[in-house]
Amino acid sequence: MSTAPRAAAPGGGPLCLVTGATGYIGGRLVPELLAAGHRVRCAARSPGKLRDHPWAAEVETVRADALDADSTARAMRGVDVAYYLVHGLGGGSNFERTDREAARVFAAQARAAGVRRIVYLGGLTPAAVPAERLSPHLRSRTEVGRVLLDSGVPTAVLRAAVIIGSGSASFEMLRYLTERLPVMVTPGWVRTRVQPVAVRDVLRYLVGSARLPAEVSRTFDIGGPDVVTYRDMMRRYAAVAGLNRRLIVPVPILTPALSSHWVGLVTPVPASIARPLAESLRHEVVCAEHDIARYVPDPPGAPVGLDRALTLALHRVRDAQVATRWSSASVPGVPSDPLPTDPDWAGGSLYCDVRELHVRVRPQALWQVVEGVGGEHGWYSFPLAWAVRGRLDRLVGGVGLRRGRRDARHLRVGDSLDFWRVEEIRPGRLLRLRAEMRLPGLAWLEMAVEPGDVPGRAYYRQRALFHPRGLLGHAYWWGVSPFHAVVFGGMARNIAAAAVRRDLSAQPASTARRTPPG
């Protein structure tokens, strides 16, 4: 994709740059800005991930890296309001330095481009706690806010604690802990007071901040009306979800590191993301003011209370209407290289396992099964092997197999899918997944559907590809290749069989009796 912005629908509102548009908040902010009459430009390292969003045709897209001044400068051209929604949550040991440098690049280029306002969503920090005692995650969020406030561009730093919304990391952590553990021995931080905020209020404040007066440059605490402990939140979630009352026993011996692994075992949120969330709960995070309401007035019924926020989020999950998830953003440290088209790519090997089948089934029925893989539907072969591979991945700090799907039936480019990510989808024809598990190399899984030679038949082609990194990568491929017949061969056969069953069930009984399986 070109680095030049892609033209959007014409409009006369302020031009807003949204960084982090592939992430949880950014992906929800874009349609809210459009609804408010703003023009939107989205900056992303991989703009192709935005292609399948319902609002993609209404925005400009530009390729930009937060650490690259030139690409950031191009993204800033003509921008009125710049939203900074980039952070290194779970980004490794150097994430504080990376966050600091990215914020400096963004601030400098915003000032050079004449941007009239910066809006940043940061973390709520506890009062009277020195910076050195804050968690690295909160300390970095605070430093980024300070860099942006010092930019010379009027800046609004919105500081939120726990964001409650369908698909948010905080909500998923709360939901799975509460649903899966009727009796819990928990870390001491479950007794810490926090002030959660509904994601719809966060978005309302972000949109409203675009029109703040030029003289306003400061932090704003944003939160809902309830101040509760994390234990209270779990109990209130249980009540909203219709679960029996949970028995919660806090113990002091679970450190943030240990508790993050505990969260990683019970929930889909990996330890690398659970740890900064847990560390942030060591200190009380309660709003010291609600000054934002002077500039962005709260409508009736807002801010949304905790019970209402939990109910809305749960309904969205149960109705499969989750617009973005915590896993929408790419996981730091995992490969992002597109599938090579040359087998001798980068001068190395590209191993390939190919399975091909002619199936007596309509192509659209076969495609429905392909697009529905993963999540609750599983991977159609040797479930124990997939489960063990997912558990091993989590043990070494990977994302594991439990991220599931954003939507039970439909996928779009950039979606996370268990330990894969959708790299390409051509509806009815092709699904390509890129592995985000810990591997000594790069891996893809590709499934293609084509019409057969005669009506009512389809051709299925499945490829597993692996580009090894070093001797260990080659050893890994040859070590697991004996299992491919069971895992990948079984997967192809079972996908085909599932499609035949689906097709038969969709046909009238008289037709189904005349159509033998195969």
Side-chain angles (χ1 to χ4, degrees):
M1 183 174 290
S2 169
T3 57
R6 181 170 60 82
L15 178 59
C16 298
L17 175 69
V18 178
T19 60
T22 57
Y24 177 72
I25 293 293
R28 296 188 179 209
L29 175 62
V30 170
E32 297 296 325
L33 288 170
L34 291 170
H38 300 297
R39 294 173 298 142
V40 178
R41 176 182 297 162
C42 296
R45 284 179 298 179
S46 303
K49 292 181 180 179
L50 302 173
R51 186 191 71 192
D52 295 333
H53 283 266
W55 38 258
E58 301 178 64
V59 305
E60 300 177 22
T61 56
V62 59
R63 186 186 305 277
D65 187 320
L67 293 171
D68 179 65
D70 290 339
S71 64
T72 302
R74 288 192 293 271
M76 291 282 186
R77 289 174 186 164
V79 166
D80 299 297
V81 181
Y83 285 89
Y84 191 72
L85 303 175
V86 177
H87 62 86
L89 180 62
S93 57
N94 294 323
F95 82 90
E96 288 186 80
R97 183 177 63 189
T98 301
D99 277 357
R100 182 187 313 117
E101 181 57 31
R104 287 173 176 168
V105 169
F106 189 87
Q109 298 309 317
R111 182 175 183 177
V115 171
R116 65 174 180 80
R117 174 156 301 279
I118 293 173
V119 181
Y120 170 57
L121 179 61
L124 186 60
T125 54
V129 175
E132 60 271 14
R133 289 183 54 201
L134 294 175
S135 70
H137 166 59
L138 278 184
R139 186 167 58 240
S140 180
R141 290 289 190 97
T142 302
E143 183 179 18
V144 166
R146 189 164 53 247
V147 169
L148 297 176
L149 285 166
D150 291 342
S151 65
V153 178
T155 298
V157 175
L158 308 186
R159 309 193 311 165
V162 176
I163 297 177
I164 301 295
S166 58
S168 74
S170 296
F171 176 73
E172 292 295 287
M173 193 167 88
L174 174 70
R175 179 165 75 100
Y176 279 91
L177 286 175
T178 309
E179 290 185 352
R180 292 182 173 177
L181 298 176
V183 178
M184 284 177 266
V185 176
T186 61
W189 49 254
V190 300
R191 294 175 293 198
T192 302
R193 293 199 318 154
V194 297
Q195 191 165 350
V197 59
V199 68
R200 60 177 53 196
D201 284 321
V202 174
L203 296 171
R204 182 168 56 82
Y205 293 136
L206 285 168
V207 172
S209 294
R211 300 190 183 276
L212 289 174
E215 65 272 13
V216 176
S217 188
R218 53 163 292 187
T219 64
F220 292 98
D221 294 354
I222 59 173
D226 300 285
V227 177
V228 295
T229 66
Y230 202 85
R231 177 166 54 184
D232 293 334
M233 282 204 296
M234 287 192 283
R235 287 176 172 162
R236 288 169 72 166
Y237 176 85
V240 165
L243 305 172
N244 294 328
R245 183 176 174 85
R246 273 26 193 169
L247 178 61
I248 303 167
V249 183
V251 294
I253 59 173
L254 285 175
T255 64
L258 288 174
S259 62
S260 66
H261 289 292
W262 168 71
V263 170
L265 286 172
V266 178
T267 80
V269 181
S272 60
I273 291 178
R275 180 165 184 171
L277 294 176
E279 286 179 334
S280 300
L281 293 168
R282 288 185 303 175
H283 304 290
E284 182 175 284
V285 277
V286 176
C287 296
E289 41 84 10
H290 189 53
D291 294 349
I292 189 69
R294 290 162 44 193
Y295 304 99
V296 186
D298 294 320
V304 176
L306 176 60
D307 291 345
R308 176 68 175 153
L310 291 171
T311 300
L312 290 168
L314 191 57
H315 283 173
R316 289 271 184 179
V317 170
R318 290 176 174 173
D319 294 342
Q321 294 180 345
V322 181
T324 59
R325 301 177 70 225
W326 61 271
S327 53
S328 297
S330 297
V331 177
V334 300
S336 58
D337 306 66
L339 176 68
T341 55
D342 183 353
D344 296 322
W345 172 58
S349 303
L350 186 67
Y351 292 114
C352 188
D353 179 280
V354 180
R355 309 283 164 170
E356 299 174 318
L357 292 172
H358 290 275
V359 191
R360 191 171 297 176
V361 67
R362 292 176 303 138
Q364 56 266 42
L366 180 55
W367 174 255
Q368 287 171 354
V369 176
V370 168
E371 193 176 9
V373 297
E376 294 182 358
H377 296 148
W379 293 90
Y380 292 93
S381 72
F382 204 178
L384 179 61
W386 288 93
V388 169
R389 184 63 185 87
R391 181 59 58 88
L392 290 174
D393 191 53
R394 291 177 77 87
L395 286 176
V396 296
V399 295
L401 197 63
R402 290 185 294 178
R403 293 191 300 184
R405 300 170 54 105
R406 176 190 58 83
D407 185 285
R409 292 185 299 168
H410 303 294
L411 295 170
R412 65 191 184 201
V413 170
D415 272 359
S416 62
L417 180 58
D418 293 329
F419 48 42
W420 305 90
R421 188 168 296 276
V422 179
E423 181 176 277
E424 181 60 86
I425 184 167
R426 299 172 194 163
R429 297 171 51 203
L430 174 73
L431 174 63
R432 183 186 302 138
L433 308 175
R434 186 185 71 248
E436 290 192 336
M437 66 192 89
R438 296 296 178 92
L439 289 170
L442 305 173
W444 296 264
L445 178 61
E446 187 176 84
M447 291 163 274
V449 176
E450 296 179 10
D453 296 334
V454 296
R457 290 179 180 264
Y459 171 69
Y460 176 68
R461 186 169 191 259
Q462 175 184 294
R463 294 197 304 164
L465 302 106
F466 182 69
H467 178 74
R469 185 170 53 243
L471 183 61
L472 182 60
H474 291 275
Y476 172 82
W477 174 263
W478 291 113
V480 300
S481 59
F483 302 99
H484 286 175
V486 175
V487 175
F488 293 125
M491 180 180 179
R493 291 190 299 273
N494 291 333
I495 283 177
V500 171
R501 291 192 298 271
R502 177 187 289 269
D503 206 21
L504 286 173
S505 66
Q507 297 178 30
S510 59
T511 305
R513 283 195 296 269
R514 295 196 302 268
T515 308

